[in-house]
Amino acid sequence: MNFFTKKKPWNNLEFIPFKLCVASIYLYFGSHFHELFKHYSYLLLGVFALTVVITMYLWIQKMRQAN
């Protein structure tokens, strides 16, 4: 099963975890350069890990529905 060649439409509700995933990792990396977000670095890393798992679950579930 090649994930990168198949195209599937995503609705807005399924796309929210991906957006949170990308936003949290950007903020996590940015927290090392700014004191405002430094206190929240572990929270942001946790949000990133959780949203990666949710996004991968939705992606694999969508691929299985196609077969």
Side-chain angles (χ1 to χ4, degrees):
M1 179 165 38
N2 193 351
F3 290 117
F4 300 112
T5 59
K6 295 183 180 184
K7 294 186 179 184
K8 298 288 171 206
W10 288 70
N11 62 25
N12 288 336
L13 187 62
E14 294 171 335
F15 204 56
I16 289 172
F18 177 70
K19 289 180 181 181
L20 285 173
C21 176
V22 171
S24 62
I25 199 65
Y26 276 129
L27 286 174
Y28 175 74
F29 286 141
S31 70
H32 293 287
F33 301 108
H34 197 277
E35 291 296 320
L36 176 66
F37 295 110
K38 191 145 186 102
H39 302 289
Y40 304 108
S41 65
Y42 292 116
L43 175 68
L44 293 170
L45 194 58
V47 169
F48 171 70
L50 179 67
T51 54
V52 163
V53 170
I54 292 171
T55 303
M56 292 306 297
Y57 172 75
L58 289 171
W59 189 7
I60 292 170
Q61 184 180 19
K62 192 172 281 289
M63 289 297 198
R64 286 184 181 167
Q65 286 178 355
N67 292 337

